[in-house]
């Protein structure tokens, strides 16, 4: 329908209706986002249950801001006057009483606890910002002041997410636009894929809002950053692949409608198959325990489906409507042979690979293996100080607290039990090694539960704190009928690490099996999928090896975030198979017409340029994640960008064609590409000549 004389108009009308309906729905998405903490926690974990029970307590409805004031030489009378004045201002913002300042034993610091209402996330952010601005403004010289605690953490996270979203979108658009301009050298053509991706993004938000309302889809704000990079990269890739086939057909067909119809028929199966592979790979994340992973799967799949729909209907309709002039100044004309440096380059590359394919693929595999060795000694798990770039206020405040108060003062362990057993829980906590103090229990609003907090002697993300939490669990679980559950930051970090290990054990094999089965179904072969999966996995470990060396020796990251291993693997396998499908689909088509060897070389020549360009765009969109202050996003962006570049310029362009040539027709075992085999000479002396290829393939021109 998008390529028809009337169908293109109908397609545009349908999409106009979709956009009009999507605008108000997309605006509601932020209101449907779940609390970031509970979304990201492991499903079913003990610490997650504790976090979920917070609303049953009065204090669970507040976010505590801990304002810390420090003077290294000791607080002065002027400092104390500043604190007293601030407390009066804090009282107008707080959701409860603001207690008097708590001095440290060394006399160099005081803390003020400011309870803020967290029922309205917007109001919480506004009030937390006002508390921070008041504390850090008009200070006597030499007095340090920072906002820490849950309210400070939430404010810094919200600031980081907002700045990341704006920067990522802007950088992505600029980078993709630049690459499209370089690729097509057209005054208008570069803009069309970006506009259609924008429509896809709007549609994704609207569909996500509908699914959240009607079917309980969990919406997490942190996922949007990764999904944005994925949608821009994959959507632009699909546009470039369709454009390449459409331009090829315009050199054969006088009628642009017929050219687009043929381009869609030949390109969409590969695009749809690759989109299905990415979607199914993402949906494997629904087997994950970590909330971020679990919610990313459906959210990413929705984005891919919306991108596929827009790029295979709206984009071709717009191209056909605008006509050939969108390619200006290099307008494709029917019957005019295409000879450009790009296609001739890939013709020469194919020729060199074909001379010694076994040497080429073994050499390539050895290079990838050597790069993969760089991942030896890789460490996972970032501490609090390395979660973000720089020192946001909440981290600086935490450091001040740790220097003048028990290290776990602002991030205590929390035990929720039956109210009747609260005294027994408190007594047990007092005798546990590593507990600095036990705060009085608070009772839930219904009187059934009690929350008892234990301040740890060690820093909350230290190994010593983790051992203390283990001792707490053992002690309170042994109290009869207490039904005690342990939560708090240390317990959360422990269980998140355990859940990430579970997700890697479960999801990675599942993704490999699912993608392998999809490749068998698409290619109707076994040998080719085995070899292709091997190249994808080897490419992933090579990317991980390079990235780990960069993290350690260039960026100064002490470890890899626990989410990077799984998310990086999923994206590189799914997207790597994407390029496999684009390449092998074209090779399989050409092998059916020209025989195995000539078909492999012809397919490489035809797709080498567009796959390289698409890979560069995809790598650039993920590289844009390095603009984020969160180290996890920076690491995901680097791993995926490096992996895509390796996959594009070495694996897909050199290693896979060499393997296909060396294995020979057995590459397609037990099936074989359909189509009449013709002598290799039928391709002609100029594989870059689209008309010659078309004629030798038996395709009619109009």
């Amino acid at each position: 329908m998008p390529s028809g004389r009337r169908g293109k108009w109908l397609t545009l009308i349908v999409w106009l209706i979709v956009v009009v309906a999507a605008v108000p729905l997309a605006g509601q998405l932020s209101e449907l986002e779940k609390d970031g903490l509970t979304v990201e926690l492991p499903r079913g974990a003990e610490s997650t249950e504790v976090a979920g029970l917070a609303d049953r307590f009065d204090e669970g409805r507040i976010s505590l801001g801990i304002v810390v004031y420090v003077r290294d030489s000791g607080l002065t009378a002027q400092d104390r006057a500043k604190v007293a004045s601030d407390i009066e201002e804090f009282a107008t913002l707080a959701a409860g009483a603001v207690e008097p300042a708590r001095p440290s034993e060394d006399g160099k610091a005081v803390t003020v606890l400011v309870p803020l209402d967290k029922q309205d996330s917007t109001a919480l952010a506004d009030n937390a910002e006002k508390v921070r601005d008041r504390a850090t403004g008009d200070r006597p010289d030499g007095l340090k002041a920072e906002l820490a605690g849950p309210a400070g953490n939430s404010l810094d996270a919200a600031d980081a997410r907002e700045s990341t979203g704006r920067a990522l979108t802007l950088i992505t658009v600029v980078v993709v636009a630049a690459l499209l301009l370089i690729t097509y050298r057209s005054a208008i053509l570069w803009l069309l894929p970006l506009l259609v991706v924008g429509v896809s993004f709007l549609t994704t938000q609207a569909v996500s809002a509908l699914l959240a309302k009607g079917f309980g889809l969990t919406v997490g704000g942190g996922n949007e950053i990764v999904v944005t990079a994925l949608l821009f990269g994959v959507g632009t890739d699909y546009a470039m692949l369709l454009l390449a086939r459409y331009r090829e057909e315009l050199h054969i067909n006088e009628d642009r409608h017929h050219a687009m119809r043929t381009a869609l028929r030949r390109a969409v199966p590969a695009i749809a198959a690759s989109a299905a592979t990415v979607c199914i790979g993402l949906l494997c994340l629904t087997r994950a325990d970590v909330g971020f992973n679990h919610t990313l799967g459906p959210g990413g799949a929705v984005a891919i489906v919306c991108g596929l729909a827009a790029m295979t209907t709206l984009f071709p309709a717009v191209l056909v409507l605008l006509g050939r002039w969108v390619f200006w100044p290099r307008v494709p004309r029917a019957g005019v042979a295409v000879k450009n440096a790009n296609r001739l380059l890939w013709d020469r590359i194919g020729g060199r690979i074909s001379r010694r394919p076994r040497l080429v693929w073994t050499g390539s595999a050895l290079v990838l293996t050597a790069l993969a060795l760089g991942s030896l000694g890789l460490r996972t798990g970032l501490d609090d100080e390395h979660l973000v770039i720089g020192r946001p206020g909440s981290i600086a405040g935490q450091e001040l607290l740790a220097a003048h108060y028990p290290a776990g003062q602002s991030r205590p362990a929390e035990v929720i039990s039956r109210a009747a057993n609260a005294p027994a829980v408190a007594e047990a906590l007092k005798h546990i090694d590593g507990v600095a103090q036990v705060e009085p229990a608070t009772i839930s609003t219904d009187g059934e539960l009690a929350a008892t907090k234990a301040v740890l002697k060690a820093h909350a993300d230290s190994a010593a704190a983790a051992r203390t939490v283990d001792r707490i669990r053992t002690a309170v679980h042994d109290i009869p009928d207490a039904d005690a559950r342990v939560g708090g930051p240390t317990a959360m970090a422990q269980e998140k690490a355990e859940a990430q290990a579970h997700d890697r054990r479960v999801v990675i094999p599942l993704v490999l099996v699912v993608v392998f089965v999809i490749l068998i179904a698409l290619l109707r072969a076994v040998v080719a999928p085995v070899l292709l999966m091997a190249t994808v996995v080897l490419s992933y470990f090579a990317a991980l090896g390079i990235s780990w060396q960069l993290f350690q020796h260039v960026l100064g990251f002490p470890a890899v975030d626990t989410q990077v291993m799984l998310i990086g693997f999923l994206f590189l396998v799914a997207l790597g198979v994407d390029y496999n499908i684009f390449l092998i689909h074209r090779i399989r088509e050409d092998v059916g017409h020209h025989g195995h060897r000539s078909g492999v070389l012809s397919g490489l020549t035809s797709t080498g340029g567009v796959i390289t360009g698409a890979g560069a765009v995809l790598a650039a969109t993920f590289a844009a994640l390095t603009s984020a202050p969160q180290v996890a996003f920076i690491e995901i962006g680097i791993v995926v960008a490096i992996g895509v570049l390796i996959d594009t310029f070495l694996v897909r362009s050199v290693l896979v064609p060499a393997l296909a040539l060396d294995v020979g027709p057995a590459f397609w075992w037990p099936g074989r590409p359909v189509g009449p085999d013709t002598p290799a000479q039928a391709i002609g002396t100029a594989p870059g000549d689209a008309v010659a290829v078309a004629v030798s393939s038996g395709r009619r021109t109009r």
Side-chain angles (χ1 to χ4, degrees):
M1 183 165 59
S3 62
R5 298 182 186 278
R6 296 179 181 175
K8 63 178 181 288
W9 292 106
L10 180 58
T11 302
L12 290 171
I13 291 171
V14 169
W15 272 104
L16 180 61
I17 295 171
V18 168
V19 169
V20 171
V23 170
L25 285 170
Q28 300 172 21
L29 188 63
S30 59
E31 302 171 4
L32 299 170
E33 290 180 359
K34 302 294 184 182
D35 177 68
L37 177 64
T38 55
V39 166
E40 294 186 5
L41 289 178
R43 298 183 302 144
E46 195 172 326
S47 59
T48 306
E49 292 182 31
V50 171
L53 291 170
D55 288 345
R56 294 181 62 177
F57 295 82
D58 286 332
E59 66 177 20
R61 297 170 185 170
I62 66 169
S63 181
L64 187 64
I66 303 177
V67 184
V68 55
Y69 302 86
V70 174
R71 183 181 289 276
D72 295 334
S73 59
L75 295 172
T76 66
Q78 190 179 10
D79 297 337
R80 298 183 191 281
K82 156 71 173 170
V83 173
S85 175
D86 285 354
I87 290 176
E88 292 181 6
E89 182 67 23
F90 296 157
T92 65
L93 303 170
V98 179
E99 299 177 1
R102 300 181 180 185
S104 62
E105 291 184 2
D106 60 13
K108 298 180 180 180
V110 295
T111 58
V112 178
L113 307 184
V114 185
L116 299 175
D117 188 354
K118 71 175 184 181
Q119 302 302 305
D120 184 339
S121 59
T122 302
L124 171 61
D126 290 343
N127 289 333
E129 187 172 9
K130 290 175 182 176
V131 169
R132 183 179 63 187
D133 292 346
R134 174 71 186 189
T136 57
D138 298 326
R139 288 173 292 160
D141 291 342
L143 179 66
K144 304 172 187 175
E146 299 289 355
L147 174 63
N153 294 336
S154 297
L155 179 59
D156 286 340
D159 288 345
R161 189 164 60 243
E162 183 179 355
S163 63
T164 299
R166 288 197 304 265
L168 176 64
T169 302
L170 178 61
I171 292 172
T172 301
V173 169
V174 171
V175 169
V176 171
L179 288 172
L180 290 174
L181 270 170
I182 293 170
T183 301
Y184 295 110
R185 302 174 208 172
S186 168
I188 187 66
L189 187 59
W190 64 273
L191 184 60
L192 300 183
L194 287 176
L195 291 176
V196 178
V197 169
V199 172
S200 304
F201 185 70
L202 179 68
T203 308
T204 298
Q205 291 185 311
V207 172
S208 298
L210 281 175
L211 292 176
K213 285 182 173 182
F215 299 93
L217 176 72
T218 302
V219 179
N223 294 146
E224 186 176 338
I225 295 172
V226 179
V227 170
T228 298
L230 180 65
L231 180 57
F232 268 87
V234 172
T236 307
D237 276 6
Y238 295 162
M240 294 178 74
L241 291 160
L242 182 58
L243 268 173
R245 205 64 191 252
Y246 178 48
R247 172 184 268 173
E248 187 175 318
E249 295 299 329
L250 286 174
H251 281 283
I252 302 169
N253 295 280
E254 190 69 43
D255 183 354
R256 68 181 189 275
H257 298 86
H258 183 76
M260 179 58 77
R261 187 177 303 116
T262 305
L264 286 170
R265 187 172 68 249
R266 294 181 179 275
V268 167
I271 294 174
S274 66
T277 303
V278 177
C279 281
I280 295 173
L282 284 165
L283 291 176
C284 290
L285 286 174
T286 57
R287 303 296 300 167
D289 281 348
V290 176
F292 178 89
N293 300 338
H294 184 77
T295 56
L296 176 61
V302 168
I304 295 296
V305 170
C306 292
L308 174 68
M311 286 303 172
T312 55
T313 57
L314 176 60
F315 187 53
V318 171
L319 287 173
V320 173
L321 176 65
L322 296 178
R324 296 173 185 262
W325 71 270
V326 296
F327 290 92
W328 185 87
R330 300 193 302 173
V331 179
R333 302 294 182 188
V336 178
V338 181
K339 290 186 179 180
N340 58 60
N342 195 24
R343 292 179 69 91
L344 293 175
L345 170 64
W346 287 103
D347 183 30
R348 289 195 295 270
I349 290 173
R352 293 188 177 184
I353 293 172
S354 66
R355 293 191 190 105
R356 290 188 169 183
R358 184 166 301 176
L359 179 63
V360 170
W361 77 255
T362 53
S364 301
L366 286 174
V367 169
L368 292 173
T369 302
L371 294 175
L373 293 176
S375 63
L376 295 177
L378 182 145
R379 295 184 294 275
T380 60
L382 293 167
D383 55 28
D384 287 350
E385 295 180 7
H386 295 92
L387 290 176
V388 294
I389 297 293
R391 292 175 71 252
S394 58
I395 297 297
Q398 178 61 39
E399 292 173 354
L400 293 176
L401 286 170
H404 299 280
Y405 294 87
Q409 179 76 48
S410 66
R411 305 178 72 195
E414 184 175 9
V415 181
I416 290 186
S417 64
R418 297 182 187 277
N421 300 90
V425 169
E427 187 63 26
L429 292 174
K430 291 176 183 177
H431 295 90
I432 293 175
D433 182 31
V435 174
Q437 67 185 68
V438 179
E439 299 181 357
T442 57
I443 308 303
S444 63
T445 54
D446 57 12
E448 295 182 1
L449 301 176
T452 309
K453 294 182 179 179
V455 177
L456 309 181
K457 294 179 180 178
H459 195 278
D461 64 353
S462 66
R467 290 192 292 270
T468 300
V469 167
D470 288 339
R471 290 191 287 270
I472 290 174
R473 280 201 180 101
T474 300
V476 301
H477 288 171
D478 288 342
I479 299 175
D481 301 322
D483 192 22
R485 284 150 285 185
V486 180
T490 305
M492 290 176 184
Q494 280 182 304
E495 293 181 329
K496 190 173 181 179
E498 293 168 2
Q500 285 286 6
H502 163 273
D503 291 354
R504 289 194 295 271
R505 291 194 305 270
V506 172
V507 176
I508 287 178
L510 183 59
V511 169
L512 288 173
V513 170
V514 167
V515 172
F516 180 63
V517 170
I518 290 173
L519 282 176
I520 290 176
L522 289 174
L523 302 179
R524 286 164 278 178
V526 174
V527 174
V530 169
L531 295 176
L532 295 177
M533 291 301 297
T535 65
V536 167
V537 173
L538 186 56
S539 174
Y540 164 73
F541 282 105
L544 198 61
I546 297 175
S547 300
W548 175 232
Q549 297 305 311
L550 285 175
F551 297 159
Q552 288 184 99
H553 304 301
V554 178
L555 299 176
F557 299 157
V560 175
D561 187 84
T562 53
Q563 291 177 168
V564 173
M565 301 286 287
L566 176 60
I567 301 302
F569 179 87
L570 172 66
F571 283 167
L572 286 181
V573 168
L575 298 173
V577 168
D578 249 14
Y579 294 134
N580 272 319
I581 291 172
F582 299 147
L583 173 64
I584 299 301
H585 180 269
R586 184 58 181 262
I587 287 178
R588 192 174 189 277
E589 178 183 329
D590 288 354
V591 166
H593 290 295
H594 311 304
H596 181 77
R597 182 180 182 280
S598 297
V600 171
L601 297 177
S602 174
L604 176 62
T605 299
S606 300
T607 62
V610 67
I611 287 181
T612 301
V617 169
L618 185 61
T621 57
F622 274 95
L625 286 174
T626 58
S627 64
Q630 300 96 326
V631 172
F633 289 140
I634 294 173
E635 291 183 338
I636 289 173
I638 289 174
V639 170
V640 176
I642 290 175
V644 168
L645 291 176
I646 290 174
D647 208 67
T648 300
F649 290 96
L650 179 58
V651 175
R652 223 53 52 215
S653 304
V654 178
L655 178 56
V656 169
L659 277 171
L661 288 170
D662 190 31
V663 174
F667 188 76
W668 310 103
W669 185 89
R672 59 172 294 182
V674 266
D677 286 341
T678 59
Q681 290 81 359
I683 291 183
T685 58
D689 187 328
V691 175
V693 172
V695 172
S696 69
S697 301
R699 287 151 58 187
R700 295 183 296 113
T701 61
R702 287 185 57 184

